[in-house]
Amino acid sequence: MIRINKNTYIPGVEETLGTLRMHNSMMPQFVDFDKVMMNINYLQILIEEIANPLFDVIGKPEKFDATNRMKSWLISSGIDISGFNTTKTGISLDEESITSAYDSNTLSDDTVLILQAYQKYSKLIRMRGTLISLLQNPISDVPSCDGHRMLILRPEWHPQNTGRVAMRNPAIMNFARVLQEILTVPEGYVKLHTDSGQVEPRIVYSAFIKDPQIQALIKLYDDAYYGLLHYCTMSEEDIRSGITTFKPMEITDEVKDSRQKIKTYGNAVMYGSKSNHTGDPIKASMIKRIGEHPARIQMVQDLMQQINRGVTVFHTAFGTPIDTSKSEKLLDFSSHSGSLDEQKLKLAINNPIQGTAADLMRISVYEANKLLMSNAKKSYIINYVHDAGMFAIHEDDMDRISEDLAHIVSYEVEGWLPITADPEFGRNKGKMGLIEDLY
């Protein structure tokens, strides 16, 4: 676990990029060629099972992208499209827009089923296309740790506006988590994937909405979403009392479902969404308890005053400045719904949270590099994807560094909720890397 205080060194983006490029120059990123081929074939089976009944309804597209066919079917069928977001080219069928349409409660059950089939088909097509694009890379002469053939990838590292870093050609950070299982290491090495747990809500309720009751509940469950669920559904009397000692809820299937809703609605409520067309009591309680939380209201008022004065630079919890005017979402505003001020407010709320997570990630890269350079010069950083690090640990180094490296994305920040890691050595929980558990 990395302990962070006001004196902790936070590397700049370029320094972090230099570190990652250095490691990739010594250890490129490898993909399991045999798993890629198995997954391409498996995905094709799933696609055909969905495509045939879907195209019987909306019509077969000329190529693989069914977006235009889906739009045409919605319009020609006289379906109420008022719940969808719109762009300069018409209605949008991205995930946010379709979710908005579902929430509007204006769609029939049959239309929802067709849209769900379209979403599933589109996701599978994108995943298959991603895998096929990897086949242009050369095959290594060295086998993988599983004895499989490997493709050699050399992605390009680039900065992002929030202080994060990203890869292109290929954009590995955009791979679905299940697809990242195709990333592998050569024989003689062990792959470590370690991910910060619930980093965003723990940042929000440590640095931006500092509520002792919420913090106590998150600690009680050691789970941000169960903690928030408890807070949003407890009595007004308990809220007013300010108590911080609680008995945990019984975790039933219904409570698990409600936890997932808390996780799903979190960002929208933080941005100020008050839409609840379906009357979901969980979202209603979130709007009341989180959306109308005094600390959040004060934060929004302060941000809007700054926005109205023309301020575009906002700061992370560690003081790193982020210029929201350079955000792609703002530069490409015509493709987003809502008013310009609403978009500016979303960025002013979101970018400092994302930027704070990016500060932590850059500290982690710095500490991981120090650990490897001093204690394990045969082992390397493979990549960092958002809040997760992936490493190739040489078998000779395992005993010396595995424990420290497993928790290199865990953070203890003074006065904050702890941010812990979820490490996995080798295969993802023993799975073979097929996408058989997607649906």
Side-chain angles (χ1 to χ4, degrees):
M1 177 171 283
I2 301 173
R3 288 172 173 79
I4 299 172
N5 56 43
K6 61 182 180 181
N7 297 317
T8 298
Y9 174 63
I10 303 177
V13 176
E14 289 303 323
E15 180 179 346
T16 300
L17 288 170
T19 299
L20 294 169
R21 288 166 181 158
M22 177 188 70
H23 279 265
N24 280 175
S25 71
M26 296 183 285
M27 170 72 78
Q29 303 195 36
F30 294 101
V31 160
D32 189 313
F33 174 76
D34 297 322
K35 288 182 182 178
V36 167
M37 294 306 298
M38 286 191 295
N39 279 319
I40 288 172
N41 292 329
Y42 186 73
L43 282 168
Q44 186 59 36
I45 294 171
L46 295 180
I47 288 168
E48 290 174 1
E49 289 177 351
I50 298 168
N52 292 332
L54 175 64
F55 295 161
D56 285 344
V57 176
I58 69 172
K60 187 175 181 179
E62 292 184 8
K63 295 184 179 180
F64 295 112
D65 188 352
T67 302
N68 289 334
R69 289 302 317 159
M70 190 72 223
K71 288 181 180 180
S72 297
W73 179 80
L74 287 168
I75 294 169
S76 64
S77 300
I79 291 167
D80 184 351
I81 59 173
S82 61
F84 292 90
N85 298 336
T86 59
T87 72
K88 57 186 177 183
T89 59
I91 63 171
S92 169
L93 290 183
D94 64 16
E95 185 174 353
E96 181 182 347
S97 179
I98 292 178
T99 300
S100 174
Y102 291 159
D103 289 345
S104 69
N105 208 27
T106 59
L107 304 177
S108 69
D109 291 343
D110 288 343
T111 301
V112 169
L113 287 174
I114 296 299
L115 279 166
Q116 288 174 339
Y118 159 78
Q119 286 183 291
K120 188 179 293 186
Y121 168 83
S122 297
K123 181 178 181 179
L124 294 173
I125 284 291
R126 287 194 300 272
M127 293 177 70
R128 183 176 179 274
T130 296
L131 292 175
I132 290 173
S133 71
L134 297 176
L135 299 178
Q136 63 185 315
N137 293 285
I139 294 181
S140 171
D141 294 333
V142 179
S144 76
C145 56
D146 296 314
H148 296 173
R149 292 169 292 177
M150 299 190 300
L151 297 168
I152 305 171
L153 308 185
R154 297 190 182 274
E156 304 161 2
W157 286 96
H158 294 273
Q160 292 185 309
N161 188 55
T162 57
R164 292 189 183 276
V165 295
M167 289 164 281
R168 298 178 191 163
N169 301 321
I172 292 172
M173 70 285 176
N174 292 334
F175 286 11
R177 176 66 182 94
V178 69
L179 269 192
Q180 291 177 28
E181 182 59 22
I182 63 174
L183 293 170
T184 189
V185 292
E187 63 178 352
Y189 287 84
V190 175
K191 184 178 77 171
L192 165 64
H193 179 278
T194 183
D195 197 351
S196 298
Q198 303 176 347
V199 64
E200 288 183 25
R202 288 175 183 267
I203 287 172
V204 169
Y205 297 102
S206 293
F208 296 94
I209 299 179
K210 301 176 183 179
D211 185 297
Q213 289 185 315
I214 296 177
Q215 292 179 351
L217 286 164
I218 291 174
K219 289 178 181 177
L220 174 67
Y221 293 95
D222 192 23
D223 185 286
Y225 303 111
Y226 279 130
L228 289 170
L229 175 63
H230 191 140
Y231 178 78
C232 288
T233 55
M234 69 186 193
S235 70
E236 288 289 344
E237 182 181 354
D238 284 344
I239 293 282
R240 289 193 298 269
S241 73
I243 62 170
T244 56
T245 55
F246 304 94
K247 291 184 178 179
M249 302 176 294
E250 180 184 357
I251 307 301
T252 63
D253 288 342
E254 182 180 358
V255 169
K256 290 178 182 178
D257 290 342
S258 296
R259 175 193 181 275
Q260 183 58 41
K261 290 181 179 181
I262 290 283
K263 184 176 180 179
T264 301
Y265 296 144
N267 283 343
V269 172
M270 273 298 294
Y271 296 152
S273 171
K274 296 183 179 179
S275 173
N276 188 17
H277 297 291
T278 60
D280 187 334
I282 297 298
K283 188 167 188 181
S285 64
M286 279 200 78
I287 291 169
K288 181 175 182 179
R289 293 282 169 76
I290 303 301
E292 298 176 8
H293 193 286
R296 184 194 169 277
I297 291 173
Q298 186 62 55
M299 178 178 70
V300 169
Q301 290 174 346
D302 293 344
L303 291 173
M304 282 308 304
Q305 287 177 5
Q306 294 177 66
I307 290 168
N308 291 335
R309 294 199 309 268
V311 173
T312 61
V313 176
F314 301 90
H315 295 81
T316 72
F318 301 115
T320 304
I322 298 177
D323 189 348
T324 57
S325 68
K326 296 180 180 179
S327 168
E328 291 182 7
K329 290 186 177 181
L330 202 59
L331 295 172
D332 189 31
F333 176 70
S334 60
S335 67
H336 294 81
S337 61
S339 71
L340 183 58
D341 279 348
E342 287 173 339
Q343 186 61 45
K344 288 180 178 179
L345 178 61
K346 285 183 181 181
L347 292 171
I349 294 172
N350 176 262
N351 282 12
I353 296 169
Q354 294 294 324
T356 301
D359 288 342
L360 295 174
M361 178 273 297
R362 296 199 306 278
I363 293 171
S364 177
V365 173
Y366 178 77
E367 294 295 333
N369 180 58
K370 281 202 310 182
L371 176 65
L372 295 176
M373 292 297 98
S374 61
N375 295 314
K377 294 184 179 179
K378 294 181 181 180
S379 301
Y380 303 97
I381 300 171
I382 299 175
N383 62 48
Y384 268 71
V385 175
H386 305 305
D387 306 304
M390 188 174 290
F391 305 89
I393 306 178
H394 195 276
E395 291 174 352
D396 293 345
D397 298 332
M398 278 293 291
D399 291 342
R400 285 196 303 277
I401 65 160
S402 60
E403 183 65 23
D404 288 339
L405 204 56
H407 297 283
I408 204 71
V409 293
S410 298
Y411 311 98
E412 183 181 288
V413 184
E414 191 174 349
W416 283 26
L417 295 162
I419 298 171
T420 57
D422 181 18
E424 295 174 354
F425 288 92
R427 290 196 187 101
N428 179 18
K429 295 183 172 57
K431 294 173 186 171
M432 292 300 295
L434 284 172
I435 311 178
E436 57 197 6
D437 56 340
L438 270 180
Y439 301 107

